Amino acid sequence: MEAEEQHFLRKSYGWDKSTSFTLMQEGENKTYQVCSSSGNWVLRKYRQNRYDVPQIKAELAWINTLRPHFPVPSIPEKSKWRATNNGCTGLS
């Protein structure tokens, strides 16, 4: 993951500079293990133009159903990610 993306994610989620990103799987999308002082997370980076908005919204709805059972971080409402991409496509 590019340093600029790491910086953006740290700032968006409030993670500190010691947060690490380890590639777990690379295929159509990339999946990273994120280790921070606030916890450990799994982050999925969608490949640009692979999914349309309804498909991503459906996956996000599914992830939200997991929230009571697993720690799932949320994207802050005022983040640049949401403002730029309407909260649907993420960084690619």
Side-chain angles (χ1 to χ4, degrees):
M1 179 181 295
E2 300 288 328
E4 180 180 310
E5 291 173 315
Q6 291 182 25
H7 173 74
F8 171 79
L9 290 166
R10 286 184 183 109
K11 185 175 179 181
S12 294
Y13 287 105
W15 293 328
D16 60 32
K17 290 183 179 184
S18 67
T19 301
S20 65
F21 301 86
T22 305
L23 183 64
M24 295 172 60
Q25 179 181 2
E26 185 172 9
E28 287 194 19
N29 304 295
K30 293 182 181 180
T31 305
Y32 295 89
Q33 177 183 11
V34 180
C35 297
S36 74
S37 59
S38 61
N40 297 321
W41 312 97
V42 173
L43 180 132
R44 182 173 181 179
K45 180 182 171 187
Y46 290 99
R47 186 179 66 179
Q48 190 170 12
N49 300 320
R50 171 62 176 103
Y51 299 102
D52 60 24
V53 171
Q55 289 172 310
I56 293 173
K57 284 184 176 182
E59 183 167 340
L60 292 173
W62 175 75
I63 288 170
N64 282 328
T65 64
L66 297 176
R67 195 170 304 265
H69 309 287
F70 301 97
V72 179
S74 296
I75 296 175
E77 287 296 324
K78 295 183 179 180
S79 81
K80 180 179 172 187
W81 187 90
R82 278 190 188 275
T84 302
N85 297 302
N86 299 319
C88 297
T89 58
L91 294 171
S92 293

